[in-house]
Amino acid sequence: MLKKNKIELLAPAGNMECFIAACNAGANAIYMGMPKFNARTMAQNFTEEQFIAAIDYAHLRGIKVYLTLNTLMYDEEIKEALEMVLKLDSYGLDAVILQDIGLARLIHKMLPNLHLHASTQMSVYSLEQAYFLQSIGFTRIVLARELTLDEIKYIGEHLEAEIEVFVHGALCVSLSGQCLLSSTIGNRSANRGRCAQPCRMRYSLLNSKGKILQKEQYLLSKKDIYGLPHMAQIFLSHIDSIKIEGRNKTPEYVALVVSKYRKYIDQYSLEQKLEIEQQDEEEIMQIFNRDGKSSGYLDHVKYQESITLHSPKNTGIYLGRVINQRKMYVQVKLEKNIDLHDGIEIYSEEDVVSTVVTCIKDENGNTINKEAKAGECVWLGDISKKIKFGSSIYKTSCYTLNKNISKTFVHANRNQRKLNVDIKIKKEERIQVRVWDEKEEIFMQSMDIVPEKAIKKALSKEDIATVFSKTLDTAFSFCMKNITLDEDVFVPISVLNEIRRNIVSKLEKKWKIRKQVNKINLEDILKLKQEKVEESIPCNALFIYQYHEDINYLEKYPTIDRIDISIQDFMKYEESIFSKYGSKVEIALYIPNFVLKNLDKWIKQNLERIILRGIDTVILSSFSYLELIQNIRKKKKLTLIADEAFNITNVYSALFMKEIGFDVIVPAFDMEISHIKDMAKYVKLELVKDYVTVMTSRYCILGSFVANRSSKKCSMPCLKENYILKDSYGFQYAIICDHIDCIMRLVKERKNIDQNSVMNIYGIRKAII
């Protein structure tokens, strides 16, 4: 399947200033949120009135607007979310970005023509997942940020639905939607839009003997993605939309980054080449970067070089090192230019000194207070603290750059819809106006105005062009293509102005969408059919994170009814597993939430054989293998469990999972006991005790800091001993690695749910490391 070689540039907007900046800088579409139900609740976000005004502003300029509704929903929130979508749809909302599958199904039922985009929070890494979401109504899939361009291309060339990829901005260290760090540490759910960014904290790495291998460094803080040099490959990867992260960023950041990507998208589209200018790259790094450049995962998997060991914040441009200090001035030999009002940060041992340059002196101490050039040795002030010689200085903001961006993009009206105008003014005939663009005729109108005979000065073509050029405060720019004008005719300038205003008004009515709000009874949409859930004695299950062949788990845990073993362990220990437990206890096969090429190939070749050999229960963590499992179920009866990684937080999502074949649901970690009790009225539940996976990542700490891996083959320290990650609060995380495809998981003790307070529990799963 070949897709058109035209890529949408999708920009973020956390407020109206950012929105205008994105429009002016050349975005094709903008994603933004309301105060509730979006993954950036800490951004300023838009009121309903502002959002509607933004839709109108964008549509007049040919730009699309997407609503970020990308958090997990509780039952009592669903109706309000549907009302929000219904209202915005009546004003022409172009698409909704969603994480919650239950909400997505309800919106599709309510508004079947509204485009649904599967958020990156849905953790889509495989073609099978994308196929499934496409089959239930999603028109676009935002792929996991962990995929390489080769992996993206494979999905894109086989999928009818559009695919969207992040190419610039912040990169989570965890697979999106699969991080519980913020929830477990501070009860702030990332899946509910309240991430406290604990991955940007310092951590220590310890081995099994307690020896500290890395002490209090930013071991989980990923550098931002910088995908501009990869635009040529992106064009060849069947990508429909490239996305810039940044709803918490400044208008200047949004404008600069969008304008640079616009420049090179246009360059490649016209010339099929890509030549990044050094100044453009420096300006992008200056406006915001975390400790240098990184391509994320676009070209291949990165290790230590992808982490912001230096600082998890914006570091801007490196200026040089402190070589002297006198009172409130530090001396530095500049590697880049510096000017008054620029922001700087000095990294002095464990301390970071942030300030704005208020004075610049030359090498001899003479005040110059003008831009100093790279190579010069200058004194910068004011510095209020004692600085250690050799400390690094970074220019974190450039006053002149920000000022120019603001003037050019933020407080301007650049992105006007360019339209052609033909006008015919002939004696004794009505004035005729035709408006058109390169694609179509927009309208032709015969005005109820007949020109007069000129008495003094006749109307000129220059007069007409001048009048129609006065559209700076509108969404349109008129190019006078054909002016047919008889000699000796006169039309008052005031009348021509009125014609221009009428044309603008007519165009605004054309592109300002106002749908009649459908009379949809939300109570009917939300109505639930409650089926009786059979009560049974809960199954006592034992979930083993790391299977050990030399342990007899039945001796250690004699009351278990079921033993849960990961598919990776079957690759190595299949004979041992079946011989030790096959005739004594039910065996459940667990397939994790993130599976890449090597394990995927093995699963597809061996899954049916293993299940038919003696598996009674399969625990799935994604939609990747649902179709494969359903085909196997035609040959063997299986209990199918939807694991925690599906993030099921409401009854509508739970019932959908039941509808597509799941027998048992494990509720999402972020659910309160009251919500779990409500869900138990509709579906069978399984509760998990003792340990939970709080992060799944393609980045491996052990590969980075124990094996010192770059792109070379890993020495696999994960197979030799166990390692622990420890945060500044004293919490510890077991590091469990899938060596088959180098997937790292962090596992932490969890606060257990009172299982006795919930009815209709199918299973109680004890997790052990």
Side-chain angles (χ1 to χ4, degrees), residues 10 38 97 106 122 191 221 257 327 379 391 420 500 635 644 681 708 722 744 768:
L10 178 56
N38 84 83
I97 305 170
L106 291 171
M122 295 190 86
N191 284 320
S221 180
V257 175
K327 296 183 179 179
W379 295 86
S391 297
N420 302 312
R500 185 196 70 240
K635 302 178 182 179
E644 263 182 331
K681 298 173 185 175
N708 294 316
N722 295 324
M744 178 191 74
I768 62 170

Side-chain angles (χ1 to χ4, degrees), residues 722-740:
N722 295 324
Y723 295 85
I724 295 292
L725 198 67
K726 186 176 181 180
D727 67 23
S728 55
Y729 296 106
F731 293 121
Q732 293 191 356
Y733 308 84
I735 300 173
I736 296 177
C737 295
D738 164 17
H739 69 279
I740 300 164

Side-chain angles (χ1 to χ4, degrees), residues 118-287:
S119 169
T120 191
Q121 293 293 112
M122 295 190 86
S123 318
V124 180
Y125 66 85
S126 71
L127 178 60
E128 289 81 5
Q129 288 170 291
Y131 269 147
F132 176 79
L133 294 173
Q134 175 182 285
S135 73
I136 62 171
F138 283 93
T139 55
R140 177 181 293 184
I141 313 297
V142 188
L143 294 178
R145 283 175 270 192
E146 287 70 24
L147 299 186
T148 67
L149 282 171
D150 286 342
E151 292 163 340
I152 290 166
K153 182 179 180 181
Y154 174 75
I155 294 172
E157 65 189 3
H158 290 90
L159 195 69
E160 183 179 345
E162 296 177 343
I163 62 170
E164 177 181 304
V165 174
F166 280 88
V167 296
H168 196 97
L171 177 63
C172 295
V173 65
S174 176
L175 182 67
S176 296
Q178 301 298 309
C179 185
L180 303 177
L181 262 186
S182 186
S183 290
T184 55
I185 293 174
N187 200 29
R188 289 178 55 176
S189 169
N191 284 320
R192 299 271 295 158
R194 300 178 64 241
C195 183
Q197 293 193 315
C199 58
R200 304 293 181 190
M201 300 192 315
R202 295 178 188 268
Y203 291 85
S204 295
L205 176 63
L206 292 74
N207 67 11
S208 57
K209 296 177 182 178
K211 181 182 177 181
I212 297 176
L213 306 178
Q214 297 288 330
K215 185 176 181 181
E216 295 186 357
Q217 291 186 288
Y218 301 108
L219 302 177
L220 295 178
S221 180
K222 294 286 282 184
K223 292 179 181 178
D224 287 6
I225 311 171
Y226 172 55
L228 197 56
H230 298 278
M231 285 305 303
Q233 298 99 303
I234 286 168
F235 264 89
L236 301 174
S237 299
H238 302 277
I239 294 168
D240 297 278
S241 177
I242 60 170
K243 189 171 197 170
I244 294 166
E245 182 276 338
R247 283 192 286 142
N248 279 324
K249 298 291 201 315
T250 65
E252 289 77 16
Y253 170 90
V254 172
L256 179 84
V257 175
V258 171
S259 67
K260 300 303 183 185
Y261 277 83
R262 176 81 276 151
K263 173 180 176 179
Y264 291 104
I265 288 172
D266 293 345
Q267 180 196 92
Y268 190 84
S269 297
L270 290 172
E271 304 173 23
Q272 297 293 293
K273 68 178 183 179
L274 195 69
E275 297 176 2
I276 309 296
E277 296 176 21
Q278 184 178 351
Q279 181 180 345
D280 289 333
E281 186 168 276
E282 286 191 5
E283 287 181 359
I284 287 176
M285 291 297 105
Q286 178 65 82
I287 203 72

Side-chain angles (χ1 to χ4, degrees), residues 340-612:
L340 288 177
H341 313 302
D342 288 350
I344 61 172
E345 283 193 344
I346 306 173
Y347 289 83
S348 179
E349 295 181 326
E350 295 299 313
D351 196 16
V352 180
V353 178
S354 302
T355 190
V356 172
V357 176
T358 57
C359 184
I360 302 176
K361 297 183 178 183
D362 66 17
E363 189 173 7
N364 299 316
N366 301 311
T367 301
I368 55 175
N369 281 354
K370 64 179 183 179
E371 185 178 43
K373 303 293 185 181
E376 295 180 16
C377 193
V378 297
W379 295 86
L380 304 177
D382 294 330
I383 311 300
S384 59
K385 292 185 178 181
K386 182 74 174 173
I387 304 298
K388 182 180 178 181
F389 291 2
S391 297
S392 297
I393 306 181
Y394 292 81
K395 182 167 76 169
T396 53
S397 69
C398 178
Y399 176 77
T400 302
L401 177 62
N402 286 339
K403 186 177 179 181
N404 290 339
I405 297 168
S406 183
K407 181 180 178 181
T408 306
F409 296 109
V410 182
H411 302 291
N413 184 18
R414 291 168 54 97
N415 199 333
Q416 294 175 296
R417 191 188 287 256
K418 295 175 176 58
L419 300 172
N420 302 312
V421 177
D422 298 342
I423 188 166
K424 185 183 291 186
I425 302 177
K426 298 180 69 65
K427 295 175 182 177
E428 299 179 356
E429 293 183 13
R430 291 182 176 185
I431 295 174
Q432 290 187 344
V433 178
R434 175 177 175 247
V435 180
W436 53 286
D437 61 17
E438 304 307 322
K439 297 178 182 178
E440 61 177 345
E441 180 179 286
I442 297 166
F443 70 82
M444 179 182 285
Q445 185 173 1
S446 179
M447 316 297 290
D448 195 18
I449 299 168
V450 177
E452 305 170 10
K453 180 177 173 57
I455 297 174
K456 294 182 179 179
K457 182 185 176 184
L459 183 68
S460 69
K461 291 184 178 181
E462 290 74 19
D463 293 332
I464 297 170
T466 298
V467 167
F468 277 82
S469 70
K470 296 177 180 179
T471 60
L472 191 60
D473 60 344
T474 76
F476 311 106
S477 173
F478 295 144
C479 176
M480 303 305 294
K481 284 290 187 179
N482 298 294
I483 301 176
T484 303
L485 179 66
D486 280 356
E487 296 180 355
D488 299 325
V489 298
F490 175 75
V491 178
I493 296 299
S494 60
V495 172
L496 290 176
N497 283 330
E498 186 61 29
I499 291 173
R500 185 196 70 240
R501 286 192 288 268
N502 286 338
I503 292 172
V504 168
S505 178
K506 199 176 186 73
L507 292 170
E508 287 179 342
K509 288 178 181 177
K510 173 181 174 61
W511 281 301
K512 278 186 179 179
I513 298 171
R514 294 295 184 269
K515 300 179 187 176
Q516 184 176 357
V517 179
N518 296 327
K519 293 181 179 179
I520 295 174
N521 188 334
L522 288 182
E523 299 303 326
D524 288 342
I525 297 285
L526 294 167
K527 191 174 181 180
L528 292 168
K529 183 180 179 182
Q530 186 168 341
E531 299 177 4
K532 186 177 179 181
V533 180
E534 294 180 12
E535 293 187 23
S536 59
I537 299 173
C539 170
N540 287 313
L542 181 70
F543 181 89
I544 304 169
Y545 270 102
Q546 298 179 102
Y547 181 84
H548 295 281
E549 190 178 23
D550 56 347
I551 296 176
N552 188 323
Y553 293 100
L554 291 182
E555 287 182 1
K556 198 169 183 180
Y557 303 96
T559 61
I560 63 171
D561 306 307
R562 191 185 82 208
I563 186 168
D564 303 345
I565 300 174
S566 179
I567 187 72
Q568 297 98 310
D569 289 322
F570 278 89
M571 293 179 70
K572 187 175 182 180
Y573 301 114
E574 180 182 341
E575 293 304 323
S576 169
I577 291 168
F578 280 113
S579 64
K580 289 176 76 172
Y581 305 108
S583 61
K584 299 173 184 177
V585 69
E586 180 184 342
I587 300 175
L589 185 149
Y590 169 78
I591 302 180
N593 57 349
F594 191 30
V595 175
L596 294 174
K597 183 173 68 173
N598 295 325
L599 182 56
D600 176 69
K601 181 179 179 181
W602 194 89
I603 288 173
K604 288 172 179 174
Q605 290 176 346
N606 294 277
L607 185 62
E608 181 174 334
R609 178 185 58 78
I610 290 174
I611 288 175
L612 295 180

Side-chain angles (χ1 to χ4, degrees), residues 754-769:
D754 178 13
Q755 64 198 53
N756 297 319
S757 65
V758 183
M759 302 297 291
N760 301 326
I761 297 299
Y762 171 83
I764 305 295
R765 188 194 307 174
K766 178 179 177 60
I768 62 170
I769 296 175

Side-chain angles (χ1 to χ4, degrees), residues 57-73:
Y57 185 96
H59 284 177
L60 292 178
R61 291 159 176 80
I63 299 167
K64 294 179 179 179
V65 175
Y66 306 147
L67 171 66
T68 54
L69 207 61
N70 55 342
T71 58
L72 299 179
M73 299 282 172

